């Protein structure tokens, strides 16, 4: 039951009396988000373990326990996903090599269109690791730090530059070149090479990752905010989303809690809607808001007699957000499976030749 508390509230510059309706029940978005995040981490660990077993089978010359290759590993091949997507757009034909990379990319892009950068805020295992690190840093050091305001926009531009680099490399490739790259030796075992990068990581790689871990403990979402081109792509696409964090200025008591809670440092308490490409739909702001219905993830308001009813009916509750993400994710996987475009089909003898010699296979360009 809602508790009606008549308060005198200082609202920005204007002092006015407001009836404040305190939140009746704690918001469940963060609990649900943590569950989804860690389920996705577990899924990726399982995929990674199965893929390692699959690779070891070929490295042992076909000895030992043979498992099937998990197509989900292609979610870690975003460039292959982009190349395949362009190939599909140009030819209308589904790619034969790493098709799951394309379907997963499409699923994550669809999530961005529907629910802003929700892939980053709800699913991405790197995002989950990043969030865990800044929370750990806050526990250890008592706080997180912010990059100086004059430097922050410049650093944020880095991820867009990286995205521009990858997109422009792919942009000039015609369909035949994309197909030849993907079905060539390097494209065929791009996933094995990625695994080997981490298995044979040198001191330089360890130092770079170590620095990123350390910086992520000091600065919230350092990698995602400044360096991740995949997140940059999701952010740009998310600008199309009709769903946004929306603030009801009438109900808001200007407490500023939402702004403090936002890991993307957005001025949630000053805006009526958050359009920013940095918003991950994490709903931390919504969870922190003490006022019923003052801040919501919602579709655009519609005409209604009562101002308060304008967008209340169009609110996306956390459970609905999870359901939407699940429908998009599993729906596209199901579609790809049923249409026969989920698994990469390469003859076993080709893998037998390429996988053990993956480190000798060089980039064709
Ligand atoms: S505005 Fe809210 S939903 Fe968007 S990133 Fe900030 S805390 Fe998350
Ligand atoms: S948390 Fe933000 S939206 Fe909610 S009352 Fe405070 S300032 Fe307003």
């Amino acid at each position: 039951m809602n508790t009606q508390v008549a308060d005198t509230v200082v609202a920005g510059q204007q002092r006015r009396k407001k009836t404040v309706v305190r939140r009746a029940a704690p918001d469940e978005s963060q609990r649900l988000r943590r569950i989804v995040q860690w389920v996705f981490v577990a899924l990726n660990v399982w995929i990674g373990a199965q893929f390692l077993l699959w690779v070891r089978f070929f490295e042992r010359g076909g000895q030992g326990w043979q498992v099937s290759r998990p197509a989900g590993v292609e979610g870690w091949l975003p460039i292959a996903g982009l190349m395949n997507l362009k190939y599909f757009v140009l030819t209308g034909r589904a790619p034969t090599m790493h098709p799951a990379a394309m379907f997963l990319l499409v699923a994550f892009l669809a999530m961005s269109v529907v629910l802003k950068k929700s892939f980053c805020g709800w699913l991405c295992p790197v995002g989950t690791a990043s969030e865990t690190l800044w929370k750990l840093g806050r526990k250890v050091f008592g706080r997180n730090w912010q990059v100086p305001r004059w430097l922050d926009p410049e650093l944020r531009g880095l991820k867009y530059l990286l995205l521009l680099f990858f997109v422009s490399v792919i942009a000039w490739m015609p369909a035949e070149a994309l197909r030849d790259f993907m079905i060539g030796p390097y494209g065929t075992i791009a996933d094995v090479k990625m695994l080997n990068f981490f298995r044979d990581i040198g001191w330089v790689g360890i130092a770079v990752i170590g620095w990123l871990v350390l910086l992520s403990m000091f600065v919230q979402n350092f990698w995602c905010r400044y360096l991740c081109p995949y997140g940059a792509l999701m952010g740009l696409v998310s600008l199309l989303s009709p769903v946004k964090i929306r603030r009801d200025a009438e109900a808001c008591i200007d407490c500023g809690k939402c702004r403090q809670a936002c890991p993307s440092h957005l001025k949630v308490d000053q805006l009526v809607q958050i359009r920013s490409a940095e918003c991950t739909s994490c709903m931390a702001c919504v969870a922190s808001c003490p006022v019923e219905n003052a801040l919501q993830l919602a579709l655009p308001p519609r005409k209604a007699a009562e101002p308060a009813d304008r967008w209340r009916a169009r609110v996306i509750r956390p459970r609905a957000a999870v359901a939407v993400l699940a429908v998009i994710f599993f729906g596209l996987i199901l579609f790809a499976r049923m249409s026969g475009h989920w698994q990469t089909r390469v003859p076993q003898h080709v893998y037998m030749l390429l996988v053990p010699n993956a480190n000798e296979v060089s980039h064709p360009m």
Side-chain angles (χ1 to χ4, degrees):
M1 194 178 70
N2 289 352
T3 315
Q4 294 274 346
V5 185
D7 280 345
T8 302
V9 178
V10 177
Q13 304 300 319
Q14 312 160 322
R15 291 172 182 269
R16 62 180 189 267
K17 291 203 168 185
K18 270 190 186 177
T19 299
V20 179
V21 183
R22 299 277 176 196
R23 198 188 274 286
D27 177 274
E28 63 174 354
S29 63
Q30 300 313 291
R31 187 177 58 85
L32 282 178
R33 195 167 68 86
R34 271 190 293 277
I35 292 171
V36 174
Q37 281 179 313
W38 288 103
V39 164
F40 215 70
V41 168
L43 177 67
N44 277 275
V45 169
W46 177 58
I47 287 171
Q50 188 175 336
F51 184 64
L52 180 61
L53 283 175
W54 179 82
V55 169
R56 295 289 294 146
F57 173 80
F58 291 104
E59 286 177 342
R60 289 182 180 137
Q63 303 293 314
W65 188 22
Q66 185 173 19
V67 295
S68 58
R69 178 180 173 278
V73 76
E74 294 170 17
W76 291 88
L77 300 176
I79 297 172
L82 265 179
M83 291 173 104
N84 280 341
L85 184 57
K86 183 181 170 191
Y87 177 79
F88 175 71
V89 169
L90 289 178
T91 65
R93 290 196 296 273
T96 53
M97 189 64 70
H98 308 313
M102 181 185 81
F103 283 103
L104 288 169
L105 174 65
V106 170
F108 301 146
L109 290 173
M111 288 174 189
S112 298
V113 173
V114 178
L115 277 182
K116 289 203 61 80
K117 221 166 81 170
S118 48
F119 169 71
C120 301
W122 289 74
L123 298 182
C124 177
V126 180
T128 303
S130 196
E131 186 176 334
T132 306
L133 284 170
W134 68 254
K135 284 182 175 166
L136 180 67
R138 187 177 274 184
K139 270 202 182 125
V140 173
F141 307 115
R143 57 172 290 204
N144 296 119
W145 282 264
Q146 278 190 35
V147 167
R149 221 183 295 171
W150 59 269
L151 185 59
D152 182 70
E154 270 76 8
L155 286 183
R156 267 190 285 146
L158 288 175
K159 63 178 184 277
Y160 295 107
L161 284 178
L162 286 167
L163 175 65
L164 186 67
F165 169 75
F166 290 120
V167 169
S168 52
V169 167
I170 294 168
W172 67 264
M173 294 175 79
E176 300 74 41
L178 291 164
R179 186 205 52 214
D180 292 349
F181 179 89
M182 292 308 298
I183 63 173
Y186 188 94
T188 303
I189 51 159
D191 43 8
V192 182
K193 290 192 75 74
M194 179 187 59
L195 176 72
N196 286 356
F197 169 80
F198 288 104
R199 286 201 297 178
D200 309 331
I201 195 162
W203 286 110
V204 176
I206 290 173
V208 170
I209 292 175
W211 268 108
L212 285 173
V213 166
L214 204 61
L215 285 166
S216 300
M217 288 178 74
F218 286 109
V219 179
Q220 284 179 323
N221 299 328
F222 182 86
W223 165 262
C224 309
R225 187 171 179 81
Y226 299 121
L227 296 171
C228 179
Y230 204 60
L233 176 63
M234 297 298 152
L236 290 178
V237 174
S238 80
L239 295 174
L240 301 171
S241 178
V243 173
K244 295 191 177 13
I245 294 289
R246 297 181 194 275
R247 187 174 67 95
D248 182 347
E250 288 298 310
C252 174
I253 58 170
D254 300 297
C255 67
K257 288 185 176 172
C258 49
R259 186 175 182 163
Q260 286 167 18
C262 178
S264 301
H265 313 306
L266 299 170
K267 296 175 183 170
V268 191
D269 59 337
Q270 291 176 13
L271 301 164
V272 287
Q273 60 177 345
I274 304 293
R275 295 175 200 267
S276 170
E278 300 294 329
C279 178
T280 61
S281 289
C282 67
M283 297 176 79
C285 53
V286 177
S288 73
C289 180
V291 181
E292 191 79 36
N293 297 322
L295 196 65
Q296 304 283 4
L297 186 68
L299 283 158
R302 64 179 170 205
K303 286 190 178 149
E306 285 295 315
D309 291 338
R310 270 190 218 142
W311 52 272
R312 205 162 286 164
R314 314 199 82 195
V315 164
I316 315 288
R317 302 279 173 214
R319 286 178 194 214
V322 174
V324 168
L325 295 179
V327 166
I328 294 174
F329 184 66
F330 293 113
L332 264 158
I333 292 177
L334 195 66
F335 172 77
R337 277 181 180 275
M338 291 185 72
S339 59
H341 296 304
W342 180 245
Q343 294 287 347
T344 293
R345 299 186 200 287
V346 172
Q348 183 129 329
H349 69 268
V350 175
Y351 281 136
M352 201 63 90
L353 194 70
L354 290 176
V355 173
N357 304 304
N359 289 344
E360 278 76 61
V361 177
S362 54
H363 199 283
M365 288 193 252

